[in-house]
Amino acid sequence: MPAQNKDEGGWKKFIWNSETKEFLGRTGSSWSKILLFYLVFYGFLAGIFIGTIQVLLLTLSDLKPTWQDRVAPPGLSHHPRSEKSEMAFSQDHIETYLEYTKSIREFLSQYDSEKQEDGMQFEDCGEQPQDFKNRGDLESDIGVRKACRFSRTWLGPCSGIEDRHFGFDTGKPCLIVKLNRIVNFRPKPPTSNETVPEEAKHKVQPNVIPMFCTNKREEDAGKLGEVKYYGIGEGFPLQYYPYYGKKLHGHYLQPLVAIQFVNLTRNEDIRIECKVYGENIYYNDKDRYQGRFDVKISIKS
């Protein structure tokens, strides 16, 4: 008979040694001790991890984010959104602006009147600028808060109700502008005209965060033409603030401002900057949407 392979016998004996009753080099008692050690060790680590998470959760609120570091308050944005904030179209060719009008139409659909009929969720807050609408402290036990209705009709020819093309078909494009939602944020109107440029001082009025658009580049001076503003007070009225967050204000609709450029110079790339002004509204050169935005518009003949 052939001799037994020593290596084969060696690894078989390592797996189970019938003489010493060892499995993989350890006796049953040794395996019990090491398994108990690792059970206690990893159980201790799991306990530290779970305890740390529980302590962290105690510092968080279901109603308001503890930390906010994405966009400093407040961000100003607009519809339609476009790649690199550049819009080029021809009023005679619908396919060149169809995506723009579709974007506005989809955004404004949430402001349809039939979606604001529920009296348990919405209330009328007036068509004129008013002071903040106090609905209790954020942490109070009042529960879900009502939101102010916002009618699309206040956006005039930019509402999309009568003009489904939002002025693009006549070379008078509209933009729909909003302040981004920030839980419990109360924007403060400018208390002094010194913080507002000379050309925008006429926009300052009580209970409104004013907005003003102008050419961003000096070489575009005179090419922008007339800019019309639509909305309550042609700005952001205070009665729509504060916002109480998704849990308490999931149906909330922020106020909108529509701007319409009625006589932009044709066949020119015009860079336009729009800014809002307030005591607690700031700007940052590194963030193009903090309290402002800019967009390039070109209308081709």
Side-chain angles (χ1 to χ4, degrees), residues 103-288:
S103 174
I104 300 177
R105 195 174 301 113
E106 290 177 349
F107 172 71
L108 288 180
S109 64
Q110 61 186 314
Y111 287 82
D112 291 340
S113 57
E114 59 267 20
K115 296 181 179 179
Q116 304 180 54
E117 294 177 349
D118 190 344
M120 299 298 293
Q121 294 185 333
F122 294 96
E123 63 179 327
D124 293 325
C125 298
E127 299 183 21
Q128 298 299 321
Q130 300 178 26
D131 201 356
F132 296 112
K133 194 76 173 180
N134 187 11
R135 296 185 174 88
D137 295 333
L138 184 66
E139 304 290 343
S140 67
D141 57 357
I142 298 177
V144 176
R145 318 299 164 88
K146 288 186 177 182
C148 290
R149 292 186 175 94
F150 190 92
S151 174
R152 289 178 60 170
T153 60
W154 298 336
L155 301 179
C158 296
S159 66
I161 297 175
E162 296 181 1
D163 179 7
R164 296 284 290 175
H165 299 291
F166 301 96
F168 282 83
D169 59 332
T170 57
K172 301 177 181 180
C174 293
L175 295 181
I176 309 299
V177 185
K178 62 173 181 161
L179 277 173
N180 292 347
R181 301 177 183 183
I182 300 176
V183 178
N184 217 28
F185 177 66
R186 297 171 184 258
K188 299 178 182 178
T191 56
S192 172
N193 281 356
E194 296 177 359
T195 60
V196 182
E198 185 66 34
E199 63 270 19
K201 287 183 178 180
H202 67 282
K203 303 282 291 182
V204 177
Q205 59 177 303
N207 299 324
V208 170
I209 301 298
M211 184 180 71
F212 185 74
C213 300
T214 186
N215 53 285
K216 184 176 177 64
R217 303 176 301 191
E218 293 184 5
E219 58 265 32
D220 288 335
K223 300 177 182 178
L224 179 59
E226 183 183 6
V227 181
K228 292 186 177 181
Y229 303 83
Y230 301 95
I232 299 179
E234 299 182 358
F236 301 98
L238 300 188
Q239 66 258 41
Y240 285 81
Y241 302 94
Y243 165 57
Y244 286 88
K246 288 186 177 181
K247 188 171 183 179
L248 301 180
H249 238 170
H251 48 284
Y252 172 83
L253 297 174
Q254 63 242 72
L256 305 174
V257 176
I259 52 179
Q260 186 174 32
F261 307 101
V262 297
N263 53 354
L264 283 172
T265 301
R266 300 296 196 271
N267 300 311
E268 295 280 354
D269 294 333
I270 304 173
R271 180 65 70 174
I272 303 165
E273 181 178 65
C274 298
K275 300 176 73 172
V276 287
Y277 300 92
E279 292 298 307
N280 56 349
I281 295 177
Y282 311 100
Y283 316 103
N284 190 325
D285 291 337
K286 296 181 180 179
D287 188 348
R288 61 189 298 182

